[in-house]
Amino acid sequence: MIKSKYNWKCLQSERQKAEQLASDMNISVVFAELLLRRGLVDPESADKFIRGSLGELHDPFLLSGMQEAVPRILRAIESKEHILIYGDYDADGVSSTSLMIRLMRHLGASFDYYIPHRSKEGYGLHIHAVDEAKRNGVSLIITVDTGISAVNQIEHANALGMDVIVTDHHEPPAQLPEAYALINPKLPTCPYPFKGLAGVGVAYKLASALIRQVPEDWLQLVALGTIADLMPLVDENRVLVSRGLQSMTEQPIIGAAALLRVAGGKESSVNSTTVGFSMAPRINASGRLSHAKRAVSLLTTEDHDEAEEIATELDLLNRERQQMVENMVQEAVRRLDDDIQNGKKIPDVIVIAGEGWNVGVVGIVASKILERYYRPTIILGIHPETGECKGSARSIPGFDLYEALTECADLLDHYGGHTAAAGMSLHKDSLKAFDQRLNEYAAGILNEEHFIPVITADLECTLDEISIPLIRELEIMAPFGMDNPSPRMVIRGAALVESRKMGRESNHLKLSLRQNGAVIEAIAFGKGHLADFLTESARIDLVVEAGVNEWNGSVKPQLMIQDLAVSHLQVFDFRSSPSPLGIIDEFAKKLERLKSGQSAGSAALCRQASADRYRSNLEDSILWVYDKDAGLIQPHGYSDNNKEAASITSLFMLELPETTEQLDSVFASFPQLERVILVHGHQDKYERIEIPTRDSFKQVYAMIRAFASAAMTEEQLLNRLARQTGMSNRMLRLTLEVFEDLQFLSRDNGKIVLNPNPFKQPLDSSLRYRTIGSMAEMEHMLLHGKSAQVAEWIIARNAAGVS
């Protein structure tokens, strides 16, 4: 058994509506059902979604403040005023700044730009930067992707005689700055119909209002910033990003082309994944570890050599960033796990601060900690000299970070952001109170259900339904991203053909799956360790996204696994291993790699006579023994066997049980059992049981009658019978018990006494006779059965025992 990481939610099928839409649009029913999932219920809305054009974009003058901003900027350009573009250091801010630079060049403006240093200055408009702008002769400041919270800074600019036009997309605070113009679709009074623009999207709208025909290649910047900032890829964002990706594919700007080359991307197939996972991290690395100006230079240069130099520099910074993140994540996990081991529970909101931690990567670390523990997470870097803490937060559905930080506003020097992501600064002396206040606030909002991650799938299907034509239809729904995810499908009960680890560090998983005659390969990134927990008889449930694998002229479907589960007991066959204890030790270490909740406890089973031999090599907590009366017990250390047994999920069978009743009792006692690991060896020949037959019993009985005249002890009789029949001593003892059960003989002081006038009874009227048959079947299966047969037998036996 392998538990899923997420709770799976599959949207309700609308087959009848899908069939009608499919007929109206001449598309497959599966594709039609996916369109319905996006709220596209008629051919008109679906066609608009699929074929959206720039002509359908909203009028930029619907944005509040645009009517005031445009004439002010045109007047500044005409009057040769010096303009300052003030941006942010993340990928959206860099894209916004780069687009405005291209706009200013296009308009022939006198301008400069400024982006604060992430770790030295932090987010937002700064008074010292305003003062510097004044000294440089700036009379108009245009902010991009920032400024909506800069009340004091803009008041200061006004006092110095400078106008400020704010273009932003972040949540507006209760008090708005007194800017010359505020352009933000999220302003309560703004009538703009789409609220999901990125900062670069708002900048593009300003450019559209100023010059009407915006150059097509500027949309590459819009696509980059919108995808990187995780904005919803619906409405006009879908159009802007789609056209931007197309432009980047056909004729990328010089900086984008250089970035794609160092990232290993194929310029012929640039998509949202390429941007989100290859390009954006390198752009962000500039602001995180150096200065975002380098990324701006890359996206605005017309010099190929300069572009190659900067792209290489950003690639190296990104690698440095990755190592830095890994070190910080390990330290944060260590602290949390130490607290858990000391009896503390995982807090509702995780707040971890580290002295000297690079504030440029705290957001990435927060994302990774959230993924591991599924709690709203805030990671902060503490300045070792000033004690100032700068942090970044990531949240889960149901917990609004901006509202939560607002509840702590009196403890913070600065904060801002969205529902799901935010940034803040405060002094380290306020950290304890900040942590406490956040968790008190969370206690009134969050419950246990919030801490269980959910993955939503569009539909349930089988492998044979996933074809190349269907996948080509799905590609029409791209670009994929926030609010328009790649279609996900649930597949249940696929048979495992092959599993193996892949990648340089064997950290990825590759499966070959079969269902209804179709065989498809599937990839799961970061799940290579699960290969150790998949048996050849596994039936796998999956949540997948479908794609195409093209290699050497071959085109076939390929699945990207988002989550997987094996819902049945699994049996691992290590029978007759020369080192069963080594198998237990190795497998136990692998069990530790499973995520929390995947593995609770382990037990190793042996017979009572062998307990002392194994105890010297196994902890008492793991060693259990078969018991004639109780089924199984722990020989030492625990008084409540039932409670301990209820926590066992992994069972190592060092030795076979003596009876089938013992085996059934084991399964009944371990109700949470997920896997059985067979490590028992061959059975001693003196212990072997045969499936009883009437002839073999008749033969033994005849011999006993022949030997009865001689004065023999039971042991002597057994030894003579063993020589004559070739049966094991154990089998012969059981045979004597059957005869005794049928009253054919009795025992008296170690001797066998025959009943001279036994009552004739059929053998199968003896309970012991029937027991021998089931014992022989069990031992033959567990000792000699093929792995698949043994697994099927144990799974069936366990199901019967648990029920």
Side-chain angles (χ1 to χ4, degrees):
M1 183 178 292
I2 297 177
K3 293 181 180 178
S4 59
K5 179 180 178 180
Y6 300 92
N7 273 353
W8 299 358
K9 178 182 178 183
C10 193
L11 299 176
Q12 186 174 359
S13 176
E14 298 181 274
R15 191 73 177 186
Q16 189 172 356
K17 292 182 180 179
E19 289 174 352
Q20 183 61 54
L21 185 61
S23 176
D24 293 342
M25 298 187 67
N26 193 29
I27 58 177
S28 72
V29 175
V30 173
F31 184 38
E33 198 154 6
L34 290 169
L35 290 173
L36 289 173
R37 298 287 186 270
R38 302 297 194 266
L40 307 167
V41 298
D42 54 68
E44 292 74 25
S45 60
D47 190 67
K48 183 177 179 181
F49 175 84
I50 293 170
R51 311 180 199 283
S53 66
L54 293 175
E56 297 171 349
L57 298 179
H58 305 304
D59 183 351
F61 284 97
L62 291 175
L63 282 161
S64 295
M66 194 67 79
Q67 295 283 0
E68 293 77 20
V70 168
R72 178 65 185 91
I73 294 171
L74 292 175
R75 186 170 75 248
I77 293 172
E78 185 178 349
S79 303
K80 302 298 182 184
E81 294 181 54
H82 197 48
I83 301 171
L84 178 68
I85 307 301
Y86 193 103
D88 187 28
Y89 39 66
D90 68 2
D92 188 18
V94 166
S95 302
S96 306
T97 303
S98 299
L99 190 147
M100 291 301 294
I101 289 172
R102 288 175 179 269
L103 175 64
M104 293 294 107
R105 289 175 179 171
H106 182 87
L107 293 170
S110 170
F111 74 97
D112 203 347
Y113 76 95
Y114 189 96
I115 294 180
H117 192 285
R118 183 189 285 260
S119 59
K120 295 178 181 178
E121 297 173 276
Y123 176 81
L125 186 61
H126 296 284
I127 286 180
H128 69 85
V130 173
D131 290 338
E132 182 181 342
K134 179 63 177 178
R135 290 193 295 272
N136 291 336
V138 170
S139 56
L140 175 62
I141 298 175
I142 304 173
T143 72
V144 287
D145 194 34
T146 189
I148 198 64
S149 300
V151 175
N152 296 331
Q153 295 89 332
I154 290 177
E155 181 181 3
H156 182 69
N158 292 339
L160 294 177
M162 291 185 286
D163 292 332
V164 181
I165 294 173
V166 172
T167 74
D168 202 352
H169 73 127
H170 293 94
E171 296 292 339
Q175 182 183 358
L176 296 171
E178 296 290 336
Y180 188 92
L182 293 176
I183 305 175
N184 184 335
K186 291 181 180 175
L187 287 170
T189 58
C190 182
Y192 198 73
F194 181 58
K195 308 298 181 181
L197 289 171
V200 69
V202 179
Y204 177 84
K205 286 296 176 180
L206 178 58
S208 300
L210 283 164
I211 61 176
R212 296 293 179 180
Q213 293 295 323
V214 179
E216 186 88 359
D217 58 3
W218 294 11
L219 287 170
Q220 297 179 37
L221 301 172
V222 179
L224 174 57
T226 302
I227 293 170
D229 219 39
L230 301 180
M231 291 296 103
L233 296 189
V234 297
D235 203 284
E236 62 182 352
N237 274 355
R238 175 175 169 78
V239 177
L240 294 169
V241 170
S242 180
R243 293 298 291 270
L245 293 174
Q246 181 181 346
S247 174
M248 201 181 299
T249 297
E250 294 172 353
Q251 191 171 357
I253 59 175
I254 291 171
L259 202 57
L260 284 167
R261 279 193 289 274
V262 299
K266 298 178 181 178
E267 295 175 30
S268 59
S269 58
V270 181
N271 55 35
S272 55
T273 300
T274 308
V275 172
F277 292 93
S278 295
M279 299 179 71
R282 289 167 172 80
I283 293 293
N284 278 321
S286 175
R288 295 183 193 283
L289 302 188
S290 179
H291 198 292
K293 279 190 172 184
R294 294 297 287 161
V296 171
S297 296
L298 174 67
L299 297 181
T300 56
T301 185
E302 299 298 328
D303 186 300
H304 289 273
D305 292 338
E306 182 185 17
E308 291 293 338
E309 178 185 342
I310 299 175
T312 301
E313 177 186 326
L314 299 191
D315 185 54
L316 293 173
L317 284 173
N318 189 53
R319 295 182 191 183
E320 181 182 346
R321 186 271 307 170
Q322 290 171 327
Q323 186 58 56
M324 186 179 295
V325 166
E326 180 61 24
N327 294 340
M328 289 170 61
V329 167
Q330 289 180 2
E331 171 63 16
V333 168
R334 184 191 62 77
R335 290 199 212 173
L336 284 167
D337 287 352
D338 285 348
D339 286 345
I340 294 169
Q341 291 176 5
N342 291 328
K344 296 181 181 179
K345 71 167 192 173
I346 303 175
D348 290 349
V349 180
I350 295 173
V351 180
I352 304 178
E355 189 169 291
W357 281 1
N358 190 304
V359 298
V361 299
V362 289
I364 303 174
V365 176
S367 295
K368 291 184 177 293
I369 296 299
L370 182 149
E371 181 181 358
R372 186 181 181 100
Y373 298 96
Y374 204 67
R375 297 289 193 277
T377 300
I378 299 176
I379 303 295
L380 305 105
I382 306 172
H383 193 287
E385 296 176 3
T386 66
E388 182 185 18
C389 303
K390 292 182 180 179
S392 191
R394 300 292 183 269
S395 193
I396 61 177
F399 189 76
D400 189 320
L401 275 175
Y402 189 81
E403 288 185 4
L405 293 176
T406 301
E407 290 292 318
C408 307
D410 58 305
L411 299 172
L412 303 174
D413 297 329
H414 176 81
Y415 72 96
H418 309 292
T419 298
M424 77 296 299
S425 62
L426 69 161
H427 194 271
K428 68 177 182 179
D429 293 343
S430 300
L431 273 177
K432 186 175 181 180
F434 178 53
D435 189 339
Q436 183 176 348
R437 183 91 61 85
L438 278 173
N439 275 283
E440 288 173 353
Y441 176 75
I445 294 176
L446 300 175
N447 55 49
E448 287 302 316
E449 290 184 0
H450 287 99
F451 300 135
I452 303 173
V454 174
I455 188 168
T456 300
D458 295 277
L459 53 86
E460 189 168 323
C461 65
T462 53
L463 289 181
D464 54 300
E465 293 180 281
I466 301 175
S467 62
I468 294 296
L470 173 63
I471 295 171
R472 295 303 187 197
E473 278 188 311
L474 301 185
E475 290 172 350
I476 299 172
M477 301 176 71
F480 299 120
M482 295 298 292
D483 288 3
N484 183 42
S486 179
R488 289 175 177 155
M489 292 156 279
V490 172
I491 297 165
R492 299 191 186 276
L496 179 65
V497 177
E498 181 186 12
S499 70
R500 64 182 178 88
K501 299 177 183 180
M502 56 180 288
R504 190 187 318 171
E505 299 179 0
S506 298
N507 54 344
H508 307 309
L509 178 68
K510 186 173 185 178
L511 306 179
S512 180
L513 303 166
R514 178 188 293 112
Q515 191 175 52
N516 296 345
V519 177
I520 297 182
E521 291 184 344
I523 305 293
F525 291 111
K527 298 183 185 295
H529 63 286
L530 293 183
D532 297 322
F533 302 97
L534 290 170
T535 58
E536 64 179 32
S537 59
R539 294 280 175 170
I540 305 179
D541 301 330
L542 311 101
V543 178
V544 300
E545 296 175 3
V548 174
N549 181 16
E550 299 185 38
W551 179 255
N552 285 341
S554 173
V555 180
K556 57 185 179 179
Q558 179 175 271
L559 306 179
M560 305 307 297
I561 300 173
Q562 308 303 306
D563 199 13
L564 64 82
V566 177
S567 57
H568 61 79
L569 178 75
Q570 291 195 97
V571 180
F572 297 82
D573 189 358
F574 296 102
R575 289 174 294 175
S576 301
S577 166
S579 178
L581 295 178
I583 294 291
I584 293 177
D585 183 59
E586 182 181 352
F587 204 94
K589 289 178 181 177
K590 291 177 180 178
L591 283 170
E592 294 176 0
R593 294 201 60 196
L594 286 178
K595 299 292 184 183
S596 175
Q598 292 275 16
S599 177
S602 298
L605 270 174
C606 67
R607 295 178 181 176
Q608 183 74 58
S610 308
D612 289 338
R613 175 162 56 92
Y614 287 120
R615 188 175 295 116
S616 61
N617 295 291
L618 293 171
E619 297 179 13
D620 284 344
S621 60
I622 196 175
L623 188 63
W624 293 66
V625 298
Y626 300 109
D627 182 77
K628 182 178 180 180
D629 299 317
L632 76 161
I633 59 172
Q634 278 190 296
H636 293 286
Y638 295 92
S639 57
D640 190 347
N641 286 328
N642 291 334
K643 181 179 179 181
E644 292 300 321
S647 70
I648 299 299
T649 57
S650 299
L651 174 63
F652 298 92
M653 290 182 64
L654 280 162
E655 294 177 323
L656 299 184
E658 295 183 68
T659 66
T660 53
E661 289 82 5
Q662 284 183 349
L663 181 64
D664 293 340
S665 179
V666 167
F667 290 143
S669 299
F670 293 148
Q672 303 300 321
L673 205 58
E674 298 177 3
R675 57 194 67 86
V676 173
I677 305 95
L678 304 178
V679 291
H680 60 267
H682 292 298
Q683 193 172 49
D684 190 287
K685 65 179 181 178
Y686 297 108
E687 292 287 307
R688 198 171 299 140
I689 301 178
E690 300 171 6
I691 296 176
T693 66
R694 184 176 299 276
D695 288 343
S696 64
F697 270 75
K698 185 177 180 180
Q699 178 191 15
V700 171
Y701 186 65
M703 289 181 180
I704 294 175
R705 291 185 64 85
F707 299 152
S709 58
M712 288 186 190
T713 65
E714 180 177 338
E715 289 301 320
Q716 289 172 331
L717 177 61
L718 288 171
N719 289 336
R720 189 166 180 179
L721 288 172
R723 289 195 299 271
Q724 293 289 331
T725 65
M727 293 183 183
S728 70
N729 280 13
R730 184 178 173 217
M731 182 66 189
L732 288 168
R733 287 182 189 280
L734 292 171
T735 301
L736 292 182
E737 290 177 8
V738 172
F739 292 148
E740 186 175 23
D741 194 24
L742 295 172
Q743 298 182 2
F744 287 3
L745 56 79
S746 60
R747 289 180 168 93
D748 182 21
N749 292 323
K751 293 186 177 182
I752 299 297
V753 179
L754 283 175
N755 184 347
N757 298 301
F759 180 76
K760 290 187 177 181
Q761 301 179 64
L763 280 171
D764 57 10
S765 67
S766 166
L767 176 62
R768 174 55 72 186
Y769 178 82
R770 297 195 299 272
T771 301
I772 294 175
S774 60
M775 290 168 61
E777 177 193 349
M778 174 187 73
E779 293 192 2
H780 180 79
M781 177 62 70
L782 294 178
L783 288 170
H784 308 297
K786 293 183 179 179
S787 293
Q789 294 174 318
V790 173
E792 183 179 353
W793 188 86
I794 288 179
I795 290 169
R797 200 92 194 186
N798 175 70
V802 172
S803 62

